[in-house]
Amino acid sequence: METVILAVVIAVVVLGVLGGLVVGSRRKKSLPPPPPTAPDITAPPAEPHVGDEAETPRDEPRRTIEEVDLPDGGSTGTAVEEPPVLEVPELEIPEPTEGRLVRLRARLSRSQNALGKGLLTLLSREHLDEDTWEEIEDTLLTADVGVQPTQELVERLRERVRVLGTRTPEELRSLLREELLKLVGTDVDRTVKTEPEERKPGIVMVVGVNGTGKTTTTGKLARVLVADGRTVVLGAADTFRAAAADQLQTWGERVGAHTVRGPEAGDPASVAFDAVKEGKEMGVDVVLIDTAGRLHTKTGLMDELGKVKRVVEKHAPLDEVLLVLDATTGQNGLVQARVFAEVVNITGIVLTKLDGTAKGGIVVAVQRELGVPVKLIGLGEGADDLAPFEPEAFVDALIGD
Ligand SMILES: Nc1nc2c(ncn2[C@@H]2O[C@H](COP(=O)(O)OP(=O)(O)OP(=O)(O)O)[C@@H](O)[C@H]2O)c(=O)[nH]1
Ligand SMILES: [Mg+2]
């Protein structure tokens, strides 16, 4: 009898242990009890099994067993912790380029007040004597418009004011607006060429003296292109400083553009070549090549720039060579422009730091000097402070509404 009782007790214990194991192993796979305050409504209602699959609504996020498994110690009934996710840097969505100059106009007006408003005030004087015309001339020269364009403008203004006779402020404003627009030029194509026909990618090279804003401009331009729905590869052909490639890469990462870089002090031409090669392989729309800041007096460096161009052109001709000029350097910028133009065929000018100088007249001077249009202007250090150059908006900002 005792043996029978003992056997029954052992059987009960064994069954109990086995049952516990089953429950335990089930619990491992099943969902945790819903937390008392915030039940997870996305989780399936009970232990998932094969038959449930077909019933799971298609548009409802499905969670695998691994996903809903409790972390260690989680069986206490606390809320399910999200599984760790890979850290992907959040991509920025750059501002569209349309209307940028309108947004940045206040900056332009502030810095170029002396030019436009100054001219208007002078022209509004009751007696336009020789001294006044000289002052008008000085205003234009101080704003770096350049001697030749200044003389042309003053001559035209004198003639038109004489014909006009009495002048109302509105007449003067529209007269000045027209003449300034003529000087800046409204009939040139200022689009940055990035879409060659029947070929991808478009190739853009950015050149200029050190510190003018090349890397910043390359980064900002990548944002402009991304904002317009294009894909971009960046080529860090400034191999003199490791920091230069890092700087460019940071710009790229912010908008998801891949940066091709080479070893420090490596051959810039081969980095540029590789950038275009990778761009082709990746099937991107545009490759932007940032180059080193080089002193125009160092002919060796200029030769190197010529080499970068030649090597890249083994792939395809450059679609755009943008010369970046710092507007605050005034006439010095013109000297640089000349030297660069001898080595590479400049197709567009980017005038940076127009927010920090009253010398906006350099737009006119540099276009005359190179016979190449200003295509973009930099109006600040912010990521979206690069705007397409629009003569009308520019002139309106100078003279105010
Ligand atoms: N205010 C203002 N600052 C600008 C503008 N564009 C560039 N900068 C600043 O100018 C400085 C130099 O810019 P970079 O892009 O590094 O110049 P870089 O030509 O690449 O220089 P190197 O690589 O040394 O040749 C940075 O501090 C920029 O933020 C602009 O439009 N306005
Ligand atoms: Mg740079």
Side-chain angles (χ1 to χ4, degrees), residues 63-79:
R63 300 179 17 149
T64 63
I65 290 170
E66 282 75 24
E67 280 175 318
V68 296
D69 250 355
L70 283 176
D72 283 345
S75 57
T76 49
T78 51

Side-chain angles (χ1 to χ4, degrees), residues 18 47 122 159 227 297 343:
L18 279 178
E47 180 186 346
L122 286 167
E159 174 64 15
T297 46
V343 184

Side-chain angles (χ1 to χ4, degrees), residues 218 221-223 225-226 230-234 255-259 282 284-288:
T218 309
L221 187 54
R223 295 175 70 88
L225 292 166
V226 168
R230 325 279 305 286
T231 46
V232 176
V233 158
L234 298 173
V255 288
H258 171 59
T259 301
M282 290 170 70
V284 298
D285 298 313
V286 190
V287 175
L288 299 179

Side-chain angles (χ1 to χ4, degrees), residues 107 208-218 220 238 241 244 247 251 290-294 324 326 351-356 377-382 385-386:
R107 268 181 225 179
V209 163
N210 124 32
T212 49
K214 288 179 301 301
T215 307
T216 313
T217 298
T218 309
K220 289 175 178 173
D238 179 352
R241 304 177 291 126
Q247 188 191 353
W251 277 100
D290 180 30
T291 60
R294 47 200 78 228
V324 180
D326 176 342
L351 262 188
T352 58
K353 312 187 193 181
L354 262 177
D355 52 310
I377 53 175
L379 286 162
E381 296 192 75
D385 291 346
L386 182 77

